[in-house]
Amino acid sequence: MRTHSFLKVLLWSSVFYVVHMTPSQKRTNKHSHSERITGMSENDGKTLHRTKRGWMWNQFFLLEEYTGPDTQYVGKLHTDQDKGDGNLKYILTGDGAGSLFIIDENTGDIHAAKKLDREEKSLYVLRAKAIDRKTGRQVEPESEFIIKIHDINDNEPKFTKDMYTASIPEMSGVGTSVIQVTATDADDANYGNSAKVVYSILQGQPYFSVDPETGIIKTALPDMSRENREQYQVVIQAKDMGGQMGGLSGTTTVNITLTDVNDNPPRFPQSSYQFSSPESAPPGTPLGRIKANDPDVGENAEIEYSISNGDGSDMFDIITDKDTQEGIITVKKHLDFENKVLYTLRVEATNTHPDPRFLQLGPFKDTALVKISVEDVDEPPVFSRPWYLIEVDEDAKEGSIIGQVVAQDPDIAKNAIKYSVDRHTDLDRIFNIYSGNGSLFLSKPLDREETPWHNITVIATEINNPKQSSQIPVFIRILDINDHAPEFANYYETFVCENAKAGQLIQTVSAIDKDQPPRGHRFFFELVPEFAVHPNFSVVDNKDNTAGIMTRRNGYSRSKTSTYLLPIIIFDNDYPIQSSTGTLTIRVCACDSRGNMQSCSAEALLLPAGLSTGALVAILLCIIILLVLVVLFTALKRQRKKEPLIISKDDVRDNIVTYNDEGGGEEDTQAFDIGTLRNPEAREESKMRRDVIPETIFQIRRTAPLWENIDVQDFIHRRLKENDLDPAAPPYDSLATYAYEGNDSIANSLSSLESLTTEGNQDYDYLSDWGPRFKKLADMYGGEDSDRD
């Protein structure tokens, strides 16, 4: 520990002088007696006095980390007014007063009560004053002073990181900077060498070095190879006191990694490789893997494989596996053991990312020899062609040979082969094949117009090994022969105007033919021999597969002939020549002056010749309106009809309809419509029945009145016949009212209104002869007890 005798401060007493003009006083750094300064002013000639302070001190210094047995003495405060009689009291305030710094109020001695640390606080500002104990008056104004803590080397250097990580490319030159480390010292850098740090390397030599002042780590050896050693651990020391003995130190660890550069070419571990492949291996089949070793890593170790030369360079290929950096040898084309059994390849491995700095070391590639042997396998038969095309005439006879397919065993054994047709491609079994020689023949006749092409599959199979088989498509084209006659291309609706002139074209006809001659169609048109010279029309061949129908006279009359039939013969030009006869129907029509058809119907002749088109339309509208009125009238009459007396159509029993109303006699005209009975003509308006719902509206018909001087029997017979022929009559017996009894009937009236007075005098036995329809009437009036029944 340093002595602190030099820290003591001597307080010099001073003499206070009364000064009239002393608004403020200043301190000085010297301790001296009072000095009187006298001067004359030019204005008033007064004498000026300056009085110095009576107590002053320099700043105090205190050593940190004091560990002595007694408290550390700091200094002493004293004023020249202190007579030593204990009348003055010294008071200390400010930073640490009373806790860190203690003053003796009688003597003014200051002591440090605790151990101080400069790194926590380097200076303390305090204030001191002297007070008269009796009066409590300050004998000296309060003054400020500073206590500075002197540094000692009590802190070791500390690095900013406990561990550093760095990397540098391998093969770097000597002196290449790797990383800079930094250490700091908490001691005072302005006082002594306590904070002066020096760097040194404790571990990592001779590979690396460190700059003692900057802490920069550099390489110390040339051409360090990552492949030999990749990781290095370097320990750096930082020591204060400028690295001298007794200085404090701290250390840190730096992990240095050498990064890879492409300084190594690929190398095959062996000079040759041997592989084998069956001759049946399809293209793309992998045969084996080879690999060239490269001690580099990452993209520096990426390798590209290729076939440089050899007799199998066109039969095999090699690709690079990017994951494993291996070369995969594959089959490029189909192999044939019978053709070649051994292939030789020269494979080259090259780095894809060479480093130009190391090209002087040599080429970054390597080669190896690869031998591939082909193994024999039992192969299926091979056809002489990849597909076959056979042409056959459609009139070829059944059993005739149309073509042949050829296949053979490619193996050395040359096994025998049999042929067959895949029936899934020939469901109709039109074709067949001789199993021994592959000749195709017909089993059924052909029709080109129905199926112009046939696509079948032929199978070739080894007799000794049926599992070995192959198939080939056979396309059979059916050649056309002229077996169809030409005919009209369309159905022609031909007409000729009544006012047509001779030599006028009325229709152009064309023809079609299902056949397809190689030179195209050529058709000829002419009239049949019986109509070679037709008096009304002629046929002109246009030489372009069409013909024109021409008129041969002026004017045609619908009233005489409304339709003409013109037979035309159509020939083709193929062999054998085919022909057909088509009949052209020509109608005679009325046309306007421009030749536009107006009407072709014969009914149009009944219309007045002078009627215009507007008049014909008006007449047609009137007819339509009348028909609509008739239909509406009929529908209204149907709505007024009563419900049928008998609902069930299946009830075929005799029925008597009872109204349970006898009426009020002949005088009563309210119960019944007597007028209907007296007017038979009203009953003739409709033949519709009231007891059934009709399904069809029949045309209203009127019959001649039958009530004028005719016999009742004839009248009833006629009505009976009409009912029998009426399609709307029900299929069961019913009571029919005929609404008229005739004149001078021997039976008088059949009405129930007069039956009570005439029943005894009437004879109705003849009703039994009128048939089953009047059986009910005969039973009612013919028997004696009919009324009671």
Side-chain angles (χ1 to χ4, degrees):
M1 295 295 292
R2 296 189 181 95
T3 60
H4 52 84
S5 60
F6 64 93
L7 294 177
K8 294 182 179 179
V9 178
L10 299 177
L11 300 178
W12 299 81
S13 61
S14 60
V15 179
F16 288 87
Y17 296 92
V18 178
V19 182
H20 299 285
M21 298 178 64
T22 56
S24 61
Q25 295 178 344
K26 297 182 179 179
R27 299 176 186 168
T28 64
N29 292 331
K30 291 183 178 181
H31 302 278
S32 62
H33 296 285
S34 61
E35 180 181 357
R36 181 176 181 179
I37 300 175
T38 304
M40 296 297 292
S41 173
E42 295 179 358
N43 296 328
D44 52 14
K46 293 182 180 180
T47 301
L48 301 177
H49 299 274
R50 183 177 64 188
T51 304
K52 295 183 179 181
R53 293 294 304 269
W55 64 328
M56 289 171 288
W57 55 83
N58 291 328
Q59 65 181 6
F60 300 127
F61 293 93
L62 186 64
L63 195 64
E64 70 169 335
E65 303 292 346
Y66 173 74
T67 58
D70 300 327
T71 58
Q72 189 176 184
Y73 181 74
V74 177
K76 183 180 181 64
L77 298 179
H78 187 72
T79 179
D80 56 359
Q81 295 190 25
D82 187 358
K83 305 303 181 181
D85 54 3
N87 291 329
L88 296 180
K89 178 182 179 182
Y90 296 96
I91 298 175
L92 184 65
T93 60
D95 294 341
S99 59
L100 295 179
F101 303 102
I102 301 173
I103 189 171
D104 189 334
E105 61 182 15
N106 294 321
T107 64
D109 293 327
I110 302 173
H111 292 80
K114 295 182 180 179
K115 181 173 65 174
L116 302 177
D117 188 355
R118 189 200 67 83
E119 285 71 36
E120 292 183 2
K121 194 172 180 64
S122 61
L123 59 89
Y124 296 86
V125 179
L126 294 98
R127 290 176 297 278
K129 56 185 175 180
I131 300 174
D132 190 330
R133 291 180 183 272
K134 295 180 180 180
T135 64
R137 180 180 61 85
Q138 293 186 12
V139 296
E140 294 287 350
E142 185 179 64
S143 298
E144 184 180 275
F145 64 93
I146 297 173
I147 300 177
K148 293 190 67 175
I149 309 302
H150 267 267
D151 181 49
I152 65 172
N153 191 18
D154 59 342
N155 290 281
E156 72 275 4
K158 291 185 179 180
F159 285 93
T160 56
K161 294 182 181 179
D162 294 335
M163 180 176 293
Y164 292 84
T165 302
S167 63
I168 185 174
E170 63 173 331
M171 310 298 290
S172 296
V174 177
T176 303
S177 297
V178 180
I179 192 175
Q180 182 179 16
V181 296
T182 303
T184 59
D185 196 319
D187 294 325
D188 190 359
N190 298 322
Y191 181 77
N193 293 328
S194 298
K196 186 177 181 181
V197 178
V198 175
Y199 300 94
S200 62
I201 185 168
L202 300 182
Q203 177 182 325
Q205 296 174 331
Y207 306 103
F208 299 96
S209 63
V210 63
D211 189 296
E213 294 182 0
T214 62
I216 298 176
I217 300 175
K218 302 179 181 180
T219 58
L221 287 180
D223 301 331
M224 288 189 293
S225 176
R226 183 200 64 83
E227 289 74 27
N228 295 333
R229 183 177 177 182
E230 183 176 6
Q231 298 289 339
Y232 293 87
Q233 191 174 69
V234 179
V235 178
I236 302 298
Q237 182 189 62
K239 190 174 183 180
D240 59 12
M241 297 299 293
Q244 299 177 4
M245 293 294 293
L248 303 178
S249 64
T251 60
T252 187
T253 301
V254 182
N255 292 323
I256 302 176
T257 303
L258 296 183
T259 58
D260 185 59
V261 297
N262 193 4
D263 58 338
N264 294 282
R267 290 288 181 263
F268 284 105
Q270 56 193 68
S271 59
S272 64
Y273 296 85
Q274 183 74 36
F275 299 101
S276 62
S277 172
E279 62 175 336
S280 60
T285 303
L287 303 181
R289 292 172 176 253
I290 61 176
K291 184 177 182 181
N293 297 326
D294 191 333
D296 297 323
V297 295
E299 68 175 14
N300 297 322
E302 292 181 1
I303 301 174
E304 187 71 28
Y305 296 91
S306 62
I307 298 176
S308 59
N309 54 40
D311 57 0
S313 58
D314 59 338
M315 302 298 295
F316 302 92
D317 198 1
I318 186 168
I319 58 177
T320 304
D321 189 335
K322 299 300 182 181
D323 296 329
T324 62
Q325 298 301 315
E326 294 177 316
I328 305 174
I329 299 175
T330 61
V331 178
K332 187 176 181 181
K333 295 182 179 179
H334 287 286
L335 303 175
D336 188 0
F337 173 81
E338 289 72 25
N339 185 26
K340 191 175 180 63
V341 297
L342 182 63
Y343 293 91
T344 302
L345 307 175
R346 185 166 294 278
V347 177
E348 185 177 86
T350 308
N351 273 142
T352 58
H353 300 85
D355 193 331
R357 296 177 298 172
F358 306 102
L359 292 179
Q360 71 274 6
L361 300 179
F364 278 72
K365 62 182 179 180
D366 194 14
T367 59
L369 196 65
V370 178
K371 295 182 179 180
I372 302 175
S373 59
V374 182
E375 299 175 352
D376 186 26
V377 296
D378 189 5
E379 298 177 276
V382 178
F383 285 91
S384 60
R385 301 179 188 176
W387 49 271
Y388 289 86
L389 173 63
I390 299 175
E391 295 182 344
V392 57
D393 293 333
E394 66 175 320
D395 61 345
K397 304 299 180 182
E398 297 182 19
S400 59
I401 296 177
I402 62 173
Q404 184 181 18
V405 297
V406 178
Q408 62 179 359
D409 184 10
D411 299 321
I412 299 178
K414 302 296 181 183
N415 294 324
I417 296 173
K418 65 177 181 179
Y419 301 90
S420 61
V421 176
D422 185 358
R423 290 306 172 188
H424 294 90
T425 61
D426 184 25
L427 298 177
D428 296 332
R429 295 183 175 269
I430 299 176
F431 305 96
N432 212 332
I433 192 170
Y434 291 107
S435 61
N437 58 11
S439 297
L440 286 165
F441 62 91
L442 291 177
S443 298
K444 292 182 180 181
L446 302 174
D447 186 357
R448 189 203 65 83
E449 287 70 32
E450 181 179 351
T451 308
W453 284 89
H454 293 273
N455 302 327
I456 66 174
T457 300
V458 175
I459 303 173
T461 306
E462 291 185 9
I463 296 178
N464 296 335
N465 187 7
K467 294 182 178 180
Q468 295 297 332
S469 65
S470 58
Q471 57 186 20
I472 199 74
V474 179
F475 307 104
I476 302 174
R477 179 183 180 184
I478 310 303
L479 300 179
D480 183 44
I481 63 170
N482 194 22
D483 58 345
H484 290 84
E487 57 187 15
F488 281 130
N490 300 298
Y491 173 76
Y492 297 100
E493 295 183 355
T494 307
F495 70 94
V496 61
C497 295
E498 288 183 307
N499 57 357
K501 304 298 182 180
Q504 181 177 338
L505 176 67
I506 63 172
Q507 183 68 60
T508 299
V509 296
S510 61
I512 57 174
D513 193 337
K514 295 181 180 179
D515 297 321
Q516 289 184 351
R519 294 182 298 276
H521 291 292
R522 180 69 178 91
F523 302 122
F524 304 93
F525 303 87
E526 63 181 36
L527 292 174
V528 297
E530 292 81 1
F531 298 89
V533 181
H534 198 280
N536 298 305
F537 305 98
S538 62
V539 177
V540 178
D541 196 332
N542 297 325
K543 308 302 182 181
D544 60 352
N545 293 338
T546 65
I549 310 302
M550 313 292 292
T551 59
R552 295 195 63 187
R553 62 185 180 88
N554 295 329
Y556 295 84
S557 176
R558 281 183 293 169
S559 60
K560 294 181 179 180
T561 305
S562 62
T563 303
Y564 293 93
L565 300 179
L566 187 64
I568 301 175
I569 301 177
I570 308 174
F571 300 89
D572 60 17
N573 68 333
D574 206 356
Y575 181 82
I577 296 177
Q578 299 288 342
S579 64
S580 66
T581 301
T583 301
L584 193 65
T585 301
I586 305 174
R587 295 185 299 163
V588 181
C589 301
C591 303
D592 57 14
S593 59
R594 297 182 179 180
N596 297 323
M597 182 183 65
Q598 291 182 337
S599 176
C600 296
S601 61
E603 291 78 1
L605 296 175
L606 300 178
L607 295 174
L611 291 179
S612 62
T613 303
L616 293 176
V617 172
I619 294 173
L620 182 61
L621 290 175
C622 292
I623 295 173
I624 294 174
I625 292 173
L626 289 175
L627 291 176
V628 172
L629 291 175
V630 171
V631 173
L632 291 175
F633 178 76
T634 305
L636 291 174
K637 289 184 66 66
R638 289 180 56 193
Q639 291 179 0
R640 290 197 299 266
K641 291 181 180 181
K642 296 181 180 179
E643 294 294 330
L645 300 178
I646 301 175
I647 302 303
S648 175
K649 294 183 179 180
D650 298 330
D651 192 358
V652 296
R653 299 171 296 175
D654 295 340
N655 295 281
I656 298 177
V657 180
T658 303
Y659 294 97
N660 294 325
D661 189 358
E662 296 182 356
E666 294 180 355
E667 299 294 333
D668 185 3
T669 60
Q670 301 298 324
F672 298 97
D673 187 3
I674 304 301
T676 302
L677 297 176
R678 295 177 180 176
N679 186 11
E681 187 176 0
R683 302 285 295 178
E684 296 296 328
E685 292 180 356
S686 175
K687 295 300 293 181
M688 302 300 295
R689 297 189 64 87
R690 295 177 178 273
D691 54 346
V692 295
I693 298 176
E695 297 180 357
T696 306
I697 300 176
F698 294 92
Q699 184 178 0
I700 301 174
R701 58 182 179 177
R702 298 180 60 87
T703 57
L706 302 178
W707 58 85
E708 297 180 358
N709 299 323
I710 62 173
D711 186 60
V712 173
Q713 185 175 359
D714 295 337
F715 173 80
I716 293 177
H717 278 295
R718 291 187 182 184
R719 287 304 180 109
L720 178 61
K721 184 177 181 181
E722 291 178 1
N723 279 275
D724 289 338
L725 299 177
D726 188 2
Y732 48 81
D733 294 340
S734 63
L735 183 62
T737 302
Y738 294 99
Y740 182 64
E741 298 180 1
N743 296 327
D744 298 331
S745 172
I746 60 174
N748 292 326
S749 176
L750 296 178
S751 173
S752 62
L753 298 177
E754 299 178 358
S755 60
L756 295 177
T757 59
T758 60
E759 181 180 2
N761 300 326
Q762 296 292 331
D763 185 7
Y764 301 102
D765 294 337
Y766 63 88
L767 296 176
S768 300
D769 301 332
W770 288 0
R773 287 185 174 271
F774 295 91
K775 184 177 184 300
K776 180 64 68 175
L777 189 62
D779 293 339
M780 293 174 59
Y781 291 92
E784 297 179 355
D785 300 332
S786 60
D787 290 339
R788 290 190 297 269
D789 296 335

